[in-house]
Amino acid sequence: MDKFTTLTGIAAPLPLINVDTDMIIPKQFLKTIKRSGLGVNLFDEMRYDSDGNEVEDFVLNKPAHRDAKILVSGDNFGCGSSREHAPWAIKDFGISCVIAPSFADIFFNNCFKNGILPIALPQEDVDKLMDDAERGSNAIITVDLESQTITGPDGGEIHFEVDAFKKHCLLNGLDDIGLTLEKVASIDVFEEKAAQARPWV
Amino acid sequence: MTGKTLYDKIWDAHVAHEAEDGTCLLYIDRHLVHEVTSPQAFEGLRMAGRKVRAPEKTIAVPDHNVPTTLDREEGIKNEESRIQVEALDTNAKEFGINYYPVDDIRQGIVHIVGPEQGWTLPGMTVVCGDSHTATHGAFGALAHGIGTSEVEHVLATQTLIQKKSKNMKVEITGKLSPGVTAKDITLAVIGKTGTAGGTGYVIEYCGEAIRDLSMEGRMTVCNMAIEGGARAGLIAPDETTFEYVKGRPHAPKGAQWEAALNWWKTLYTDEDAVFDKVVTLKGEDIAPVVTWGTSPEDVLPITGVVPSPEDFTGGKVDAARRSLEYMGLKPGTPLSEVAIDAVFIGSCTNGRIEDLRAAAEIVKGKKIAEGVRGMVVPGSGLVRAQAEEEGLAEIFEAAGFEWRLAGCSMCLAMNPDQLAPGERCASTSNRNFEGRQGFKGRTHLMSPAMAAAAAINGKLTDVREVM
Ligand code: SF4
């Protein structure tokens, strides 16, 4: 997995609540058997018209935000389907950090498996970053995972929380399966005990 | 020490390892797999030279992409869909997991097949790369959706890295009124709590109205726990549960059945257990509901009117404005005057036999309104066979519905079953998101009986008027 340490770049504002994974990557793009190549279809139905042309005023089509590395959005980001194609598409587009007041559970977990840092912040901090994001390339933002801080264009710092284990895995680009297999002895023991206690399973 | 909730009990029985910070390896009893969220996971195993740790606990079935038209035995015409289903065929064989291919009568939507075949049992942990895994919570199983990386993790280790969620209780007291169903309960709860109201929680549904539900109804309720943001929904197992499970192909038999039953009977929330959050609704207060917007929380009784963005506060004002524009609805319009173009009866929310019976009851002897396209898609091949045996298929066909083969179909429109832009659908599925049932398609969620009533009248309809 890709490491995430620090990230400096343009943020794109998407001031909508309940951005669902169907919006992030519509189902017609779930037919792939690969993880890559989904970036061009990120937010497809908002980003392109029915003829496949770019919708000019959609944020990721604007010159100031085309190269965004950070996305700032509203409450309950990533709700809906469990499709990991959503973080794959976000990552493939070039965004590795999403900031919102709250996230849906499955999407939040999926981000960490793909080198994306989702940051939940109080509404007023998100509002502030949303303003910065509106200014596009005039407002570069830096996210530092080690120190858990976001530095805005005016030098102001915002602290954020992150689960210690997830932070460790992101910083070091650790593969979950590899980590779990180090504990395979515990799984073996559990399986034996469970087979005794609940043999019908 | 305070007592334990049902969630606490199942959780405690499945922790294989706990780190100091509370991160656990949760052992997984059943892993369900479908064709859309699994190819990358199997590919990952292959690349790392790993095996499926417990193939006997892993069950695969194609559902999202499969055509539901009668000509499907001729093969899937869409090349990408075909490749995905073929990849599942290959992976199931190569890794030796339980498999129900497209031409097996037991094939169907993964969340309908699991319980039907007795794979889902009380007290289990069940996961699937699909958010509606919450459905299996109806059996008192801890069941939730996972992403593809986690699918690979479970395939390789039979565990999931998890931290415990908080406990939430949703109690529905008293009795439901005539015409009100499990679907109305689950939508009404989301209408009350919002789509993020359950985030961070596992919900236990309880109360008299829940107890009175059949297993089918309980599955409908738990299915949409995820729409309320919860990690999982649970209902404590009882005689209704045991009755449903008994005799299913993969349910325990003989002495094992007795042993299982003894444990299952301990699976309830202790009297003195504490919930972090409690929501209570009176069964009598729940009306037949429909959604008006593009979020499952946009719920109103069918007797209501289309709201105005000004009725809301915060981010919901803009969201409502956007929803109304997308849905092509004017504030103040009575919901019962909204004309529809299509009706979809099916999905893992409402594609079980009881749902088809409820819809057929309304449709019997009547015809679909002129210009409305109706589709009934049974949740599994076995549901379809049973409905045919009971004469339900004939009722639907006589009324002008298409009678389809099992699959997800227009619930997410990955196969050819889609709405055209601007088409409005009365749907028994679970998501009314923008584009969910087809590009620019408009979805109103409701119960099977309400969808059937809408089909007959050609507009959203209060089912109580046609009962
Ligand atoms: S029926 Fe719909 S919600 Fe259920 S598994 Fe299929 S696509 Fe998902």
Side-chain angles (χ1 to χ4, degrees), chain A residues 81 83, chain B residues 34 63-64 109-112 130-133 135 223 227 344 346-349 407-414 429-431 436:
Chain A
S81 141
R83 60 188 71 165
Chain B
H34 66 75
D63 55 6
H64 284 60
I109 305 168
V110 64
H111 308 307
I112 291 191
D130 190 281
S131 53
H132 293 99
T133 312
T135 312
N223 174 275
E227 254 51 69
F344 171 68
S347 87
C348 60
T349 316
C408 293
S409 183
M410 207 200 267
C411 173
L412 94 164
M414 255 184 105
S429 56
N430 44 48
R431 287 193 174 131
R436 172 78 178 184

Short mmCIF file of all heavy atoms in Angstrom, two decimals, chain A residues 81 83, chain B residues 34 63-64 109-112 130-133 135 223 227 344 346-349 407-414 429-431 436, ligand 1:
data_model
loop_
_atom_site.label_atom_id
_atom_site.label_comp_id
_atom_site.label_asym_id
_atom_site.label_seq_id
_atom_site.Cartn_x
_atom_site.Cartn_y
_atom_site.Cartn_z
N SER A 81 -23.21 2.54 -0.83
CA SER A 81 -22.62 1.25 -1.19
C SER A 81 -21.20 1.09 -0.66
O SER A 81 -20.47 2.06 -0.49
CB SER A 81 -22.68 1.13 -2.71
OG SER A 81 -21.53 0.53 -3.23
N ARG A 83 -18.72 -0.13 -2.15
CA ARG A 83 -17.77 -0.22 -3.26
C ARG A 83 -16.43 0.47 -2.97
O ARG A 83 -16.38 1.67 -2.75
CB ARG A 83 -18.41 0.34 -4.54
CG ARG A 83 -18.84 1.78 -4.43
CD ARG A 83 -19.64 2.24 -5.64
NE ARG A 83 -20.96 1.62 -5.67
CZ ARG A 83 -21.96 2.03 -6.43
NH1 ARG A 83 -21.81 3.05 -7.24
NH2 ARG A 83 -23.13 1.43 -6.40
N HIS B 34 -19.87 -11.80 -3.96
CA HIS B 34 -20.52 -11.67 -5.27
C HIS B 34 -19.51 -11.15 -6.29
O HIS B 34 -18.37 -10.82 -5.95
CB HIS B 34 -21.81 -10.84 -5.21
CG HIS B 34 -21.60 -9.41 -4.85
ND1 HIS B 34 -21.11 -8.50 -5.75
CD2 HIS B 34 -21.82 -8.72 -3.70
CE1 HIS B 34 -21.05 -7.31 -5.17
NE2 HIS B 34 -21.46 -7.42 -3.92
N ASP B 63 -24.91 -11.97 -8.77
CA ASP B 63 -26.24 -11.38 -8.67
C ASP B 63 -26.35 -9.98 -9.29
O ASP B 63 -27.30 -9.67 -9.98
CB ASP B 63 -26.72 -11.35 -7.21
CG ASP B 63 -25.76 -10.65 -6.26
OD1 ASP B 63 -24.75 -10.09 -6.72
OD2 ASP B 63 -26.00 -10.67 -5.03
N HIS B 64 -25.34 -9.13 -9.09
CA HIS B 64 -25.47 -7.73 -9.51
C HIS B 64 -25.59 -7.55 -11.02
O HIS B 64 -26.33 -6.69 -11.49
CB HIS B 64 -24.27 -6.92 -9.00
CG HIS B 64 -24.34 -6.62 -7.53
ND1 HIS B 64 -24.38 -7.58 -6.56
CD2 HIS B 64 -24.37 -5.43 -6.87
CE1 HIS B 64 -24.43 -7.00 -5.37
NE2 HIS B 64 -24.42 -5.70 -5.53
N ILE B 109 -30.05 -13.14 -5.21
CA ILE B 109 -29.32 -12.07 -4.54
C ILE B 109 -28.65 -12.65 -3.30
O ILE B 109 -29.28 -13.37 -2.52
CB ILE B 109 -30.26 -10.92 -4.14
CG1 ILE B 109 -31.03 -10.41 -5.37
CG2 ILE B 109 -29.48 -9.78 -3.49
CD1 ILE B 109 -32.18 -9.48 -5.03
N VAL B 110 -27.39 -12.36 -3.15
CA VAL B 110 -26.57 -12.98 -2.12
C VAL B 110 -27.23 -12.92 -0.73
O VAL B 110 -27.19 -13.90 0.02
CB VAL B 110 -25.15 -12.36 -2.14
CG1 VAL B 110 -25.17 -10.88 -1.78
CG2 VAL B 110 -24.18 -13.11 -1.27
N HIS B 111 -27.90 -11.82 -0.41
CA HIS B 111 -28.50 -11.68 0.93
C HIS B 111 -29.82 -12.44 1.05
O HIS B 111 -30.40 -12.53 2.13
CB HIS B 111 -28.71 -10.20 1.27
CG HIS B 111 -27.47 -9.41 1.08
ND1 HIS B 111 -26.28 -9.78 1.68
CD2 HIS B 111 -27.20 -8.31 0.34
CE1 HIS B 111 -25.35 -8.92 1.31
NE2 HIS B 111 -25.86 -8.03 0.50
N ILE B 112 -30.31 -12.93 -0.06
CA ILE B 112 -31.51 -13.77 0.00
C ILE B 112 -31.08 -15.24 0.01
O ILE B 112 -31.63 -16.06 0.73
CB ILE B 112 -32.46 -13.42 -1.16
CG1 ILE B 112 -33.01 -12.01 -0.89
CG2 ILE B 112 -33.57 -14.47 -1.31
CD1 ILE B 112 -34.14 -11.53 -1.72
N ASP B 130 -20.50 -5.93 0.44
CA ASP B 130 -21.77 -5.34 0.02
C ASP B 130 -22.44 -4.74 1.25
O ASP B 130 -22.58 -5.42 2.27
CB ASP B 130 -22.67 -6.43 -0.57
CG ASP B 130 -23.88 -5.83 -1.21
OD1 ASP B 130 -24.82 -5.46 -0.48
OD2 ASP B 130 -23.88 -5.70 -2.44
N SER B 131 -22.85 -3.50 1.14
CA SER B 131 -23.33 -2.81 2.35
C SER B 131 -24.61 -3.41 2.92
O SER B 131 -24.87 -3.28 4.10
CB SER B 131 -23.53 -1.33 2.04
OG SER B 131 -24.35 -1.17 0.93
N HIS B 132 -25.41 -4.08 2.07
CA HIS B 132 -26.67 -4.61 2.59
C HIS B 132 -26.55 -5.95 3.29
O HIS B 132 -27.54 -6.61 3.59
CB HIS B 132 -27.74 -4.61 1.50
CG HIS B 132 -28.10 -3.21 1.13
ND1 HIS B 132 -27.58 -2.59 0.03
CD2 HIS B 132 -28.83 -2.28 1.78
CE1 HIS B 132 -28.01 -1.33 0.00
NE2 HIS B 132 -28.76 -1.12 1.06
N THR B 133 -25.31 -6.32 3.61
CA THR B 133 -25.07 -7.50 4.45
C THR B 133 -25.80 -7.37 5.78
O THR B 133 -26.10 -8.36 6.44
CB THR B 133 -23.55 -7.63 4.67
OG1 THR B 133 -22.90 -7.51 3.42
CG2 THR B 133 -23.19 -8.96 5.29
N THR B 135 -28.66 -7.13 6.28
CA THR B 135 -29.86 -7.97 6.20
C THR B 135 -29.81 -9.16 7.17
O THR B 135 -30.80 -9.49 7.82
CB THR B 135 -29.99 -8.56 4.77
OG1 THR B 135 -29.81 -7.51 3.83
CG2 THR B 135 -31.32 -9.23 4.55
N ASN B 223 -31.98 -4.86 6.70
CA ASN B 223 -31.38 -4.54 5.40
C ASN B 223 -31.03 -3.07 5.31
O ASN B 223 -29.97 -2.68 4.80
CB ASN B 223 -32.38 -4.93 4.30
CG ASN B 223 -31.95 -4.53 2.91
OD1 ASN B 223 -32.18 -3.41 2.49
ND2 ASN B 223 -31.31 -5.44 2.19
N GLU B 227 -28.56 2.17 5.63
CA GLU B 227 -29.07 3.44 5.11
C GLU B 227 -29.19 4.47 6.23
O GLU B 227 -29.23 5.67 5.98
CB GLU B 227 -30.42 3.23 4.42
CG GLU B 227 -30.39 3.28 2.91
CD GLU B 227 -29.35 2.39 2.29
OE1 GLU B 227 -29.48 1.16 2.35
OE2 GLU B 227 -28.38 2.94 1.74
N PHE B 344 -40.80 -1.10 -9.81
CA PHE B 344 -39.84 -2.19 -9.63
C PHE B 344 -40.11 -2.88 -8.30
O PHE B 344 -40.03 -2.27 -7.23
CB PHE B 344 -38.41 -1.65 -9.66
CG PHE B 344 -37.38 -2.67 -9.26
CD1 PHE B 344 -37.13 -3.78 -10.06
CD2 PHE B 344 -36.67 -2.55 -8.07
CE1 PHE B 344 -36.18 -4.73 -9.70
CE2 PHE B 344 -35.72 -3.51 -7.70
CZ PHE B 344 -35.48 -4.60 -8.51
N GLY B 346 -38.72 -5.92 -6.13
CA GLY B 346 -37.62 -6.86 -6.02
C GLY B 346 -36.57 -6.33 -5.06
O GLY B 346 -36.89 -5.54 -4.18
N SER B 347 -35.33 -6.80 -5.19
CA SER B 347 -34.14 -6.41 -4.41
C SER B 347 -34.01 -7.21 -3.11
O SER B 347 -34.93 -7.91 -2.70
CB SER B 347 -34.12 -4.92 -4.08
OG SER B 347 -34.83 -4.66 -2.88
N CYS B 348 -32.85 -7.06 -2.47
CA CYS B 348 -32.62 -7.77 -1.21
C CYS B 348 -33.43 -7.17 -0.07
O CYS B 348 -33.53 -7.76 1.00
CB CYS B 348 -31.13 -7.78 -0.86
SG CYS B 348 -30.41 -6.15 -0.67
N THR B 349 -34.04 -6.02 -0.30
CA THR B 349 -34.92 -5.43 0.72
C THR B 349 -36.30 -6.08 0.66
O THR B 349 -36.88 -6.42 1.68
CB THR B 349 -35.09 -3.91 0.48
OG1 THR B 349 -33.82 -3.35 0.18
CG2 THR B 349 -35.67 -3.23 1.70
N GLY B 407 -32.16 -11.74 -9.52
CA GLY B 407 -30.94 -10.94 -9.55
C GLY B 407 -31.21 -9.57 -8.94
O GLY B 407 -32.32 -9.28 -8.50
N CYS B 408 -30.19 -8.74 -8.92
CA CYS B 408 -30.32 -7.39 -8.32
C CYS B 408 -31.12 -6.47 -9.23
O CYS B 408 -31.81 -5.57 -8.77
CB CYS B 408 -28.94 -6.79 -8.08
SG CYS B 408 -28.03 -7.66 -6.80
N SER B 409 -30.95 -6.66 -10.54
CA SER B 409 -31.78 -5.97 -11.51
C SER B 409 -31.79 -4.46 -11.31
O SER B 409 -30.76 -3.83 -11.11
CB SER B 409 -33.19 -6.58 -11.43
OG SER B 409 -34.05 -6.03 -12.38
N MET B 410 -32.99 -3.88 -11.35
CA MET B 410 -33.10 -2.42 -11.35
C MET B 410 -32.85 -1.80 -9.98
O MET B 410 -32.95 -0.58 -9.82
CB MET B 410 -34.46 -2.00 -11.88
CG MET B 410 -34.42 -0.62 -12.52
SD MET B 410 -36.03 0.10 -12.63
CE MET B 410 -36.52 -0.41 -14.25
N CYS B 411 -32.48 -2.60 -9.00
CA CYS B 411 -32.11 -2.00 -7.72
C CYS B 411 -30.89 -1.11 -7.91
O CYS B 411 -30.79 -0.05 -7.34
CB CYS B 411 -31.82 -3.08 -6.68
SG CYS B 411 -31.15 -2.40 -5.16
N LEU B 412 -29.94 -1.58 -8.72
CA LEU B 412 -28.79 -0.72 -9.01
C LEU B 412 -28.49 -0.63 -10.50
O LEU B 412 -27.56 0.07 -10.89
CB LEU B 412 -27.53 -1.15 -8.23
CG LEU B 412 -26.53 -2.08 -8.89
CD1 LEU B 412 -25.24 -2.05 -8.14
CD2 LEU B 412 -27.07 -3.46 -9.02
N ALA B 413 -29.30 -1.30 -11.31
CA ALA B 413 -29.24 -1.07 -12.76
C ALA B 413 -27.86 -1.27 -13.37
O ALA B 413 -27.42 -0.52 -14.22
CB ALA B 413 -29.75 0.34 -13.07
N MET B 414 -27.17 -2.31 -12.91
CA MET B 414 -25.88 -2.62 -13.55
C MET B 414 -26.10 -3.49 -14.78
O MET B 414 -25.27 -3.57 -15.65
CB MET B 414 -25.01 -3.42 -12.58
CG MET B 414 -23.90 -2.60 -11.98
SD MET B 414 -22.84 -3.60 -10.97
CE MET B 414 -21.42 -3.74 -12.04
N SER B 429 -36.79 -1.10 -3.64
CA SER B 429 -35.38 -1.25 -3.29
C SER B 429 -35.02 -0.34 -2.12
O SER B 429 -35.90 0.14 -1.41
CB SER B 429 -34.53 -0.97 -4.53
OG SER B 429 -34.83 0.31 -5.03
N ASN B 430 -33.75 -0.08 -1.95
CA ASN B 430 -33.32 0.62 -0.73
C ASN B 430 -32.61 1.94 -0.94
O ASN B 430 -32.26 2.62 0.01
CB ASN B 430 -32.41 -0.33 0.06
CG ASN B 430 -31.41 -1.01 -0.87
OD1 ASN B 430 -30.78 -0.35 -1.69
ND2 ASN B 430 -31.29 -2.31 -0.76
N ARG B 431 -32.31 2.28 -2.18
CA ARG B 431 -31.57 3.54 -2.40
C ARG B 431 -32.22 4.37 -3.49
O ARG B 431 -32.50 3.86 -4.58
CB ARG B 431 -30.11 3.26 -2.77
CG ARG B 431 -29.35 2.79 -1.57
CD ARG B 431 -27.85 2.80 -1.75
NE ARG B 431 -27.27 2.46 -0.48
CZ ARG B 431 -26.32 1.55 -0.29
NH1 ARG B 431 -25.82 0.91 -1.32
NH2 ARG B 431 -25.88 1.31 0.91
N ARG B 436 -29.15 6.07 -9.36
CA ARG B 436 -29.05 4.70 -8.85
C ARG B 436 -29.74 3.69 -9.78
O ARG B 436 -29.22 2.62 -10.06
CB ARG B 436 -29.69 4.63 -7.45
CG ARG B 436 -29.83 3.23 -6.87
CD ARG B 436 -28.53 2.71 -6.33
NE ARG B 436 -28.71 1.39 -5.75
CZ ARG B 436 -27.74 0.73 -5.13
NH1 ARG B 436 -26.54 1.26 -5.02
NH2 ARG B 436 -27.96 -0.45 -4.63
S1 SF4 C 1 -30.46 -6.05 -4.49
FE1 SF4 C 1 -29.63 -4.01 -4.61
S2 SF4 C 1 -28.97 -3.48 -2.56
FE2 SF4 C 1 -29.32 -5.68 -2.63
S3 SF4 C 1 -27.31 -6.57 -3.03
FE3 SF4 C 1 -28.31 -6.28 -5.01
S4 SF4 C 1 -27.70 -4.25 -5.67
FE4 SF4 C 1 -27.21 -4.38 -3.53
#
